[in-house]
Amino acid sequence: MMKAVRFYGQKDIRLEDVEVPKCGKGQVKVKPAYCGICGTDLHEYLGGANIMPTTPHPITKEKVPLTLGHEFSGIIEEVGDDVHDIKVGARVTVQPIIYDGTCGACKEGYINCCDKNGFVGLSGWGGGLSEHVVVPRNAVYEIPENVSLEIAALVEPIAVAWHAINISPFKKGDSVLVLGGGPIGLAVVQCLVARGAGKIIVSEVASGRKEFAKQFGAHYVLDPSKDDIVARVREICDGRGANVAFDAAGVQAGLDQAIQALRAGGTLVNIAIWEKNATIAPNLLCFRERRYMGVATYQAGDFQDVLNALSSGQLKPESMITKKIQIDEVEESGFKTLINDKDNHVKILVVVSP
Ligand SMILES: [Zn+2]
């Protein structure tokens, strides 16, 4: 048996003993080292199950209770008979997307938009908050020697930001507005710095998060409760507005401001998961040829790009880790801390096996 943190329902997560999973063909068994707690985990905890399946998931055939943890690094401890290109002892990070590989979206490379998509740590196949997890061989990426297992647990959230920038029209030198200074907004700021943004403007209310945004490289940090965001962004961006904006906040007022803070031809990229529907004024898009687009997680290639950027020193996300806890402290010191003291925390890592 092994220890695993499992989600049962709203405000009900339990550390329990479960069966150790078996490693089959095409699979690898990973011993998780560090696992981050994500905003999605908190949403499930506070109001779930939302995306966690309460009827059998079409691919995993599993349903709640399920093991949590989809942002993790670890060490390969077993490989399937037919797996010859990675060895026991390899240090890896896990790309947790579960996809069928056969639907139209998957065939066109959009595994992140699979008709049946799910995530390790949310939809079955175990998760990073357990002592052992079995995943497909192609879900693991080897960590470069100069990148630690701790940092490798940050690859997943950073890959979300990296991918959003990749599929946006962002070019080096562009002026960018980022809505929200939470973990994803801060990851966007770091990736923008690494990729040569001209001006990076963050809109955030919470004082702790404003400080983090500056620390990670934002050139301007505005407060939507005090500043006129549209006027200030235009002024900072040569009177014209931002080339690209990234919404990592998901609130109506921010959406309205971001559209108007874009220059003609500018693009607003939505990364946020919205709790309710928003309204949009299409004329604001129409008359300035602005665009509004959505992005979902990451695709093949993004994990390797982020690992390369970490190895080369282009990305230095160490200070995103604001606390490390043990697996038996996940609810009290992890979930509850992130909910009650979110201003002072970016990423809490669970030390599963140091
Ligand atoms: Zn598919």
Side-chain angles (χ1 to χ4, degrees):
M1 301 296 275
M2 65 170 189
K3 295 249 178 277
V5 176
R6 301 216 300 163
F7 174 88
Y8 273 79
Q10 189 176 14
K11 294 189 180 165
D12 185 2
I13 55 175
R14 306 178 197 172
L15 177 64
E16 13 180 62
D17 288 316
V18 299
E19 295 280 340
V20 177
K22 291 197 168 54
C23 182
K25 280 203 189 317
Q27 295 178 317
V28 294
K29 189 195 275 185
V30 178
K31 186 172 182 54
Y34 295 91
C35 182
I37 301 171
C38 162
T40 308
D41 299 323
L42 300 180
H43 278 291
E44 293 299 310
Y45 179 77
L46 287 171
N50 298 316
I51 66 166
M52 294 182 82
T54 51
T55 56
H57 184 274
I59 297 177
T60 68
K61 313 293 182 204
E62 296 174 58
K63 62 184 174 86
V64 168
L66 291 168
T67 301
L68 288 165
H70 60 274
E71 303 181 351
F72 62 104
S73 62
I75 293 174
I76 300 281
E77 48 184 354
E78 193 182 333
V79 302
D81 294 343
D82 55 342
V83 173
H84 305 297
D85 59 348
I86 193 159
K87 292 194 169 63
V88 170
R91 298 177 330 129
V92 297
T93 183
V94 176
Q95 209 251 44
I97 296 179
I98 294 173
Y99 58 99
D100 62 9
T102 56
C103 74
C106 283
K107 283 184 178 162
E108 288 173 8
Y110 293 97
I111 61 164
N112 54 331
C113 305
C114 174
D115 291 346
K116 296 178 178 165
N117 99 323
F119 292 86
V120 174
L122 288 168
S123 320
W125 294 358
L129 290 176
S130 69
E131 293 174 295
H132 311 275
V133 58
V134 168
V135 295
R137 157 67 185 98
N138 62 10
V140 298
Y141 288 77
E142 282 200 66
I143 305 169
E145 247 174 52
N146 65 345
V147 176
S148 70
L149 282 163
E150 280 179 48
I151 295 301
L154 301 175
V155 170
E156 199 269 357
I158 297 172
V160 171
W162 192 271
H163 179 66
I165 296 168
N166 264 358
I167 71 165
S168 80
F170 169 83
K171 310 176 300 302
K172 197 171 176 180
D174 275 356
S175 297
V176 184
L177 169 66
V178 180
L179 301 177
I184 297 295
L186 294 173
V188 171
V189 169
Q190 293 176 69
C191 294
L192 286 169
V193 170
R195 298 170 70 156
K199 286 169 183 156
I200 304 172
I201 307 161
V202 171
S203 173
E204 168 63 52
V205 184
S207 58
R209 292 184 162 192
K210 287 182 194 165
E211 285 309 310
F212 284 121
K214 280 181 204 152
Q215 189 188 324
F216 286 119
H219 304 113
Y220 302 86
V221 178
L222 307 179
D223 182 337
S225 70
K226 298 187 187 114
D227 297 310
D228 179 338
I229 300 296
V230 177
R232 288 286 290 129
V233 172
R234 282 201 191 140
E235 181 187 315
I236 292 164
C237 305
D238 314 316
R240 299 183 57 201
N243 299 90
V244 185
F246 293 91
D247 186 354
V251 294
Q252 180 71 54
L255 172 62
D256 295 339
Q257 289 157 356
I259 290 177
Q260 296 181 75
L262 288 172
R263 66 179 60 192
T267 301
L268 172 58
V269 182
N270 180 68
I271 310 174
I273 305 295
W274 290 68
E275 283 173 3
K276 50 189 177 200
N277 286 340
T279 59
I280 202 160
N283 289 351
L284 291 176
L285 301 176
C286 201
F287 295 143
R288 295 288 180 277
E289 295 197 348
R290 294 167 173 139
R291 282 162 288 190
Y292 184 46
M293 62 181 284
V295 297
T297 64
Y298 28 73
Q299 291 172 357
D302 294 313
F303 265 54
Q304 194 59 56
D305 288 347
V306 171
L307 285 167
N308 294 345
L310 289 167
S311 183
S312 70
Q314 271 184 294
L315 285 172
K316 297 183 196 71
E318 286 77 2
S319 45
M320 284 180 87
I321 304 167
T322 48
K323 191 177 185 184
K324 283 185 267 184
I325 62 172
Q326 303 300 311
I327 196 165
D328 58 355
E329 302 173 311
V330 167
E331 185 168 17
E332 287 304 318
S333 310
F335 281 65
K336 289 186 180 170
T337 300
L338 285 170
I339 291 161
N340 300 323
D341 191 20
K342 68 174 183 180
D343 195 15
N344 293 308
H345 287 282
V346 182
K347 195 50 79 179
I348 294 182
L349 284 192
V350 181
V351 184
V352 185
S353 61

mmCIF file of all heavy atoms in Angstrom, residues 19-43:
data_model
loop_
_atom_site.group_PDB
_atom_site.id
_atom_site.type_symbol
_atom_site.label_atom_id
_atom_site.label_comp_id
_atom_site.label_asym_id
_atom_site.label_seq_id
_atom_site.Cartn_x
_atom_site.Cartn_y
_atom_site.Cartn_z
ATOM 1 N N GLU A 19 -3.834 1.168 -3.062
ATOM 2 C CA GLU A 19 -2.987 0.203 -3.752
ATOM 3 C C GLU A 19 -1.888 0.912 -4.546
ATOM 4 O O GLU A 19 -2.137 1.958 -5.145
ATOM 5 C CB GLU A 19 -3.816 -0.602 -4.762
ATOM 6 C CG GLU A 19 -4.896 -1.490 -4.158
ATOM 7 C CD GLU A 19 -4.338 -2.801 -3.629
ATOM 8 O OE1 GLU A 19 -3.221 -3.186 -4.072
ATOM 9 O OE2 GLU A 19 -5.001 -3.421 -2.785
ATOM 10 N N VAL A 20 -0.706 0.298 -4.606
ATOM 11 C CA VAL A 20 0.356 0.818 -5.459
ATOM 12 C C VAL A 20 0.012 0.438 -6.909
ATOM 13 O O VAL A 20 -0.292 -0.723 -7.177
ATOM 14 C CB VAL A 20 1.725 0.208 -5.062
ATOM 15 C CG1 VAL A 20 2.825 0.699 -6.009
ATOM 16 C CG2 VAL A 20 2.061 0.563 -3.613
ATOM 17 N N PRO A 21 0.021 1.426 -7.836
ATOM 18 C CA PRO A 21 -0.344 1.083 -9.225
ATOM 19 C C PRO A 21 0.739 0.239 -9.900
ATOM 20 O O PRO A 21 1.915 0.349 -9.566
ATOM 21 C CB PRO A 21 -0.453 2.456 -9.894
ATOM 22 C CG PRO A 21 0.446 3.340 -9.093
ATOM 23 C CD PRO A 21 0.398 2.837 -7.676
ATOM 24 N N LYS A 22 0.309 -0.614 -10.852
ATOM 25 C CA LYS A 22 1.245 -1.467 -11.593
ATOM 26 C C LYS A 22 1.670 -0.783 -12.883
ATOM 27 O O LYS A 22 0.870 -0.106 -13.522
ATOM 28 C CB LYS A 22 0.580 -2.808 -11.916
ATOM 29 C CG LYS A 22 0.362 -3.662 -10.685
ATOM 30 C CD LYS A 22 0.106 -5.121 -11.052
ATOM 31 C CE LYS A 22 0.183 -6.020 -9.825
ATOM 32 N NZ LYS A 22 -0.711 -5.575 -8.721
ATOM 33 N N CYS A 23 2.933 -0.984 -13.238
ATOM 34 C CA CYS A 23 3.481 -0.371 -14.446
ATOM 35 C C CYS A 23 3.340 -1.340 -15.619
ATOM 36 O O CYS A 23 3.913 -2.430 -15.605
ATOM 37 C CB CYS A 23 4.948 -0.033 -14.196
ATOM 38 S SG CYS A 23 5.747 0.778 -15.571
ATOM 39 N N GLY A 24 2.567 -0.965 -16.636
ATOM 40 C CA GLY A 24 2.350 -1.842 -17.790
ATOM 41 C C GLY A 24 3.115 -1.383 -19.022
ATOM 42 O O GLY A 24 3.998 -0.518 -18.943
ATOM 43 N N LYS A 25 2.766 -1.962 -20.154
ATOM 44 C CA LYS A 25 3.425 -1.633 -21.435
ATOM 45 C C LYS A 25 3.209 -0.158 -21.778
ATOM 46 O O LYS A 25 2.127 0.386 -21.592
ATOM 47 C CB LYS A 25 2.836 -2.490 -22.556
ATOM 48 C CG LYS A 25 3.388 -3.897 -22.598
ATOM 49 C CD LYS A 25 3.216 -4.481 -24.001
ATOM 50 C CE LYS A 25 3.531 -5.967 -24.100
ATOM 51 N NZ LYS A 25 4.733 -6.414 -23.396
ATOM 52 N N GLY A 26 4.286 0.449 -22.272
ATOM 53 C CA GLY A 26 4.207 1.842 -22.697
ATOM 54 C C GLY A 26 4.138 2.828 -21.544
ATOM 55 O O GLY A 26 3.922 4.019 -21.745
ATOM 56 N N GLN A 27 4.321 2.304 -20.324
ATOM 57 C CA GLN A 27 4.171 3.168 -19.148
ATOM 58 C C GLN A 27 5.465 3.265 -18.336
ATOM 59 O O GLN A 27 6.372 2.444 -18.494
ATOM 60 C CB GLN A 27 3.077 2.610 -18.236
ATOM 61 C CG GLN A 27 1.686 2.636 -18.876
ATOM 62 C CD GLN A 27 0.637 2.034 -17.969
ATOM 63 O OE1 GLN A 27 0.867 1.000 -17.347
ATOM 64 N NE2 GLN A 27 -0.512 2.680 -17.893
ATOM 65 N N VAL A 28 5.494 4.251 -17.456
ATOM 66 C CA VAL A 28 6.586 4.368 -16.492
ATOM 67 C C VAL A 28 5.975 4.612 -15.111
ATOM 68 O O VAL A 28 4.900 5.201 -14.993
ATOM 69 C CB VAL A 28 7.559 5.532 -16.834
ATOM 70 C CG1 VAL A 28 8.296 5.250 -18.141
ATOM 71 C CG2 VAL A 28 6.829 6.863 -16.922
ATOM 72 N N LYS A 29 6.669 4.088 -14.095
ATOM 73 C CA LYS A 29 6.231 4.367 -12.730
ATOM 74 C C LYS A 29 7.144 5.443 -12.158
ATOM 75 O O LYS A 29 8.371 5.335 -12.221
ATOM 76 C CB LYS A 29 6.290 3.109 -11.853
ATOM 77 C CG LYS A 29 5.635 3.326 -10.486
ATOM 78 C CD LYS A 29 5.986 2.241 -9.503
ATOM 79 C CE LYS A 29 5.048 1.049 -9.657
ATOM 80 N NZ LYS A 29 5.323 0.036 -8.591
ATOM 81 N N VAL A 30 6.522 6.499 -11.638
ATOM 82 C CA VAL A 30 7.260 7.649 -11.116
ATOM 83 C C VAL A 30 7.070 7.729 -9.608
ATOM 84 O O VAL A 30 5.954 7.516 -9.108
ATOM 85 C CB VAL A 30 6.748 8.966 -11.761
ATOM 86 C CG1 VAL A 30 7.464 10.177 -11.193
ATOM 87 C CG2 VAL A 30 6.874 8.917 -13.279
ATOM 88 N N LYS A 31 8.169 8.036 -8.899
ATOM 89 C CA LYS A 31 8.078 8.327 -7.468
ATOM 90 C C LYS A 31 8.054 9.844 -7.343
ATOM 91 O O LYS A 31 9.090 10.499 -7.513
ATOM 92 C CB LYS A 31 9.298 7.731 -6.744
ATOM 93 C CG LYS A 31 9.224 7.841 -5.234
ATOM 94 C CD LYS A 31 10.361 7.053 -4.589
ATOM 95 C CE LYS A 31 10.269 7.122 -3.067
ATOM 96 N NZ LYS A 31 8.954 6.709 -2.537
ATOM 97 N N PRO A 32 6.877 10.438 -7.082
ATOM 98 C CA PRO A 32 6.817 11.904 -7.023
ATOM 99 C C PRO A 32 7.760 12.480 -5.946
ATOM 100 O O PRO A 32 7.869 11.920 -4.843
ATOM 101 C CB PRO A 32 5.350 12.187 -6.680
ATOM 102 C CG PRO A 32 4.614 11.011 -7.224
ATOM 103 C CD PRO A 32 5.541 9.844 -6.943
ATOM 104 N N ALA A 33 8.431 13.564 -6.289
ATOM 105 C CA ALA A 33 9.339 14.236 -5.352
ATOM 106 C C ALA A 33 8.663 15.489 -4.791
ATOM 107 O O ALA A 33 8.481 15.621 -3.583
ATOM 108 C CB ALA A 33 10.645 14.592 -6.059
ATOM 109 N N TYR A 34 8.274 16.409 -5.684
ATOM 110 C CA TYR A 34 7.607 17.656 -5.280
ATOM 111 C C TYR A 34 6.340 17.821 -6.104
ATOM 112 O O TYR A 34 6.336 17.514 -7.289
ATOM 113 C CB TYR A 34 8.512 18.867 -5.515
ATOM 114 C CG TYR A 34 9.746 18.850 -4.657
ATOM 115 C CD1 TYR A 34 10.917 18.266 -5.122
ATOM 116 C CD2 TYR A 34 9.737 19.401 -3.380
ATOM 117 C CE1 TYR A 34 12.062 18.237 -4.319
ATOM 118 C CE2 TYR A 34 10.870 19.373 -2.575
ATOM 119 C CZ TYR A 34 12.033 18.784 -3.051
ATOM 120 O OH TYR A 34 13.141 18.759 -2.264
ATOM 121 N N CYS A 35 5.294 18.329 -5.445
ATOM 122 C CA CYS A 35 4.034 18.529 -6.148
ATOM 123 C C CYS A 35 3.425 19.864 -5.735
ATOM 124 O O CYS A 35 3.276 20.133 -4.541
ATOM 125 C CB CYS A 35 3.074 17.381 -5.828
ATOM 126 S SG CYS A 35 1.500 17.491 -6.705
ATOM 127 N N GLY A 36 3.087 20.697 -6.708
ATOM 128 C CA GLY A 36 2.475 21.989 -6.421
ATOM 129 C C GLY A 36 0.972 21.861 -6.228
ATOM 130 O O GLY A 36 0.347 20.947 -6.745
ATOM 131 N N ILE A 37 0.419 22.799 -5.456
ATOM 132 C CA ILE A 37 -1.041 22.881 -5.310
ATOM 133 C C ILE A 37 -1.491 24.019 -6.224
ATOM 134 O O ILE A 37 -0.925 25.115 -6.190
ATOM 135 C CB ILE A 37 -1.443 23.169 -3.854
ATOM 136 C CG1 ILE A 37 -0.916 22.053 -2.931
ATOM 137 C CG2 ILE A 37 -2.964 23.294 -3.726
ATOM 138 C CD1 ILE A 37 -1.077 22.354 -1.450
ATOM 139 N N CYS A 38 -2.505 23.749 -7.028
ATOM 140 C CA CYS A 38 -2.904 24.664 -8.095
ATOM 141 C C CYS A 38 -4.258 25.298 -7.791
ATOM 142 O O CYS A 38 -5.038 24.777 -6.997
ATOM 143 C CB CYS A 38 -2.954 23.839 -9.373
ATOM 144 S SG CYS A 38 -3.861 24.541 -10.727
ATOM 145 N N GLY A 39 -4.551 26.414 -8.445
ATOM 146 C CA GLY A 39 -5.847 27.072 -8.297
ATOM 147 C C GLY A 39 -7.004 26.133 -8.632
ATOM 148 O O GLY A 39 -8.065 26.197 -8.011
ATOM 149 N N THR A 40 -6.783 25.258 -9.607
ATOM 150 C CA THR A 40 -7.830 24.291 -9.968
ATOM 151 C C THR A 40 -8.125 23.362 -8.793
ATOM 152 O O THR A 40 -9.284 23.038 -8.515
ATOM 153 C CB THR A 40 -7.377 23.461 -11.192
ATOM 154 O OG1 THR A 40 -6.978 24.360 -12.216
ATOM 155 C CG2 THR A 40 -8.483 22.566 -11.700
ATOM 156 N N ASP A 41 -7.078 22.930 -8.094
ATOM 157 C CA ASP A 41 -7.274 22.077 -6.914
ATOM 158 C C ASP A 41 -8.118 22.814 -5.868
ATOM 159 O O ASP A 41 -9.006 22.232 -5.239
ATOM 160 C CB ASP A 41 -5.923 21.709 -6.270
ATOM 161 C CG ASP A 41 -5.013 20.929 -7.214
ATOM 162 O OD1 ASP A 41 -5.523 20.103 -7.981
ATOM 163 O OD2 ASP A 41 -3.789 21.168 -7.164
ATOM 164 N N LEU A 42 -7.827 24.112 -5.704
ATOM 165 C CA LEU A 42 -8.562 24.903 -4.707
ATOM 166 C C LEU A 42 -10.031 25.057 -5.097
ATOM 167 O O LEU A 42 -10.915 24.968 -4.245
ATOM 168 C CB LEU A 42 -7.933 26.295 -4.541
ATOM 169 C CG LEU A 42 -6.476 26.339 -4.086
ATOM 170 C CD1 LEU A 42 -6.007 27.784 -3.978
ATOM 171 C CD2 LEU A 42 -6.287 25.631 -2.750
ATOM 172 N N HIS A 43 -10.276 25.255 -6.410
ATOM 173 C CA HIS A 43 -11.664 25.354 -6.882
ATOM 174 C C HIS A 43 -12.429 24.069 -6.598
ATOM 175 O O HIS A 43 -13.590 24.104 -6.186
ATOM 176 C CB HIS A 43 -11.709 25.664 -8.384
ATOM 177 C CG HIS A 43 -11.540 27.119 -8.686
ATOM 178 N ND1 HIS A 43 -12.494 28.043 -8.368
ATOM 179 C CD2 HIS A 43 -10.533 27.804 -9.266
ATOM 180 C CE1 HIS A 43 -12.074 29.242 -8.729
ATOM 181 N NE2 HIS A 43 -10.883 29.125 -9.277
#
